[in-house]
Amino acid sequence: MSQTYKRIQHKLILSRLKEPRKFIQILFGARQVGKTTLITQVLEDINKEYIFLSADNEINSNSVWLTQQWENARIKLKSSSKKDLILVIDEIQKIKNWSEIVKSQWDYDTRNKINIKVVLLGSSSILVQRGLSESLAGRYEIIRIPHWSYKEIKSAFGLSLDEYIFFGGYPGSIDLIRDERRWKQYVKDSLIEPAITKDVLLMSNITKPALLRQLFQLGSIYSGQILSYTKMLGQLQDAGNTTTLANYLNLLNVAGLLCGLQKYSKNQIQTKSSIPKFQVYNSALVSAFETETFKEVKSDLNKWGRYCEIAVGTHLLNDCVCNGYKLNYFREGNYEIDFVLTKDNKSVAIEVKSGRNTTNLSGIELFNKKYKPYKTLLVGQKGILFEEFLSLSADDLF
């Protein structure tokens, strides 16, 4: 990762840590999006005492270790001329019952007016969420760290638009894109496998790990396409049922890997029961399983059009995660719209056109007539250029 480039969340974290102590700050995001580098940059830029700890580096990192490190922070603050101290704990989910210990130590400092500000990071989004819901209600704020956008990757590493569309936005993989075979193996072995093994499969209710792995690979390969759970079962080797698949897809979503977008409807029951449209959080998760090269994919207009649509989806999905918008698709009969972005009671219909039929806009026409959206947008040929759209935020669309 570029050590000098500072993501937009840097400013937010810095401002939070300059405020009076009130909440624990949780940096929440998928693996390998740069959470540790981000907080390290903030600590370097802030004029405060701090202690940075990683439970991943300590063989005996347990509740006793965590309590002792907190005591060390109190001693350091007491002997310092500073008014406060920042305690950062990375890989917090590695400590058993971590949320109970954090609650106990945080409440002790609150009662005794000890000005230790706390930042927690965890590579397992699922386990961190579980800990927050169990013990720390009302004591924390979440700062969501999304996958890197095109605008960020271009600024930090100089990738072209086409390179970003195919290779995605994992900073650690950028140096390998000139050797595509090596890049694909790295993404599979060092990015995908740890995320599935350490984040998702650590959950106690994963009774069919092979099925979950197959679901992830199938969902990545079919990203951008609508596929019913019944049809999925027909393509998966391990036995399962639709409820199991829906549960596993939800876990992959929480891990920041793959989600199933729901159909847009004013009827919430229809939305909840709709057939999912697969959407990865990072285009690299599709390209890692691609049998053709970057050059070969670009020369196939239909396939490249699909990659362009996936890139638009990743852009919107990550923005929605950070800002609380809803992202759906629309389909009625043979009429479709790629994405419907919703904020409060306003909806924006977004159709992506590249390498396919660029004149058929019947889906937008039907959606306009039925739902009267705030805005309809065409991305690609005869619309907003991809480079321009991928540089916009969801806020810019409303």
Side-chain angles (χ1 to χ4, degrees), residues 358-376:
T358 61
T359 58
N360 184 3
L361 301 177
S362 56
I364 285 183
E365 292 171 1
L366 177 62
F367 191 83
N368 278 335
K369 182 178 180 180
K370 189 169 184 176
Y371 292 109
K372 296 179 173 53
Y374 173 72
K375 191 181 294 182
T376 56

Side-chain angles (χ1 to χ4, degrees), residues 2-70:
S2 172
Q3 298 294 323
T4 57
Y5 183 84
K6 294 174 182 176
R7 302 190 69 186
I8 189 171
Q9 291 81 16
H10 177 278
K11 184 177 180 180
L12 175 60
I13 299 168
L14 191 65
S15 66
R16 292 272 179 90
L17 293 179
K18 287 182 177 180
E19 293 173 354
R21 177 187 182 275
K22 189 173 183 181
F23 298 112
I24 299 168
Q25 299 299 319
I26 311 290
L27 268 60
F28 196 73
R31 282 181 175 267
Q32 299 298 317
V33 296
K35 298 184 293 294
T36 303
T37 297
L38 191 55
I39 191 61
T40 301
Q41 291 174 329
V42 170
L43 294 175
E44 290 172 350
D45 292 343
I46 198 167
N47 184 28
K48 294 181 183 294
E49 291 280 1
Y50 68 85
I51 295 177
F52 182 95
L53 304 168
S54 176
D56 200 31
N57 296 333
E58 301 294 330
I59 297 176
N60 297 315
S61 56
N62 51 32
S63 58
V64 175
W65 174 85
L66 180 56
T67 301
Q68 185 57 57
Q69 298 306 319
W70 216 297

Side-chain angles (χ1 to χ4, degrees), residues 163-195:
E163 287 172 332
Y164 176 77
I165 288 173
F166 186 82
F167 293 105
Y170 280 114
S173 71
I174 299 299
D175 291 340
L176 302 178
I177 65 175
R178 303 304 171 205
D179 185 343
E180 290 188 39
R181 181 179 297 179
R182 184 180 176 189
W183 176 86
K184 289 177 181 179
Q185 202 62 50
Y186 172 81
V187 172
K188 290 177 183 177
D189 294 344
S190 296
L191 300 180
I192 295 174
E193 184 58 29

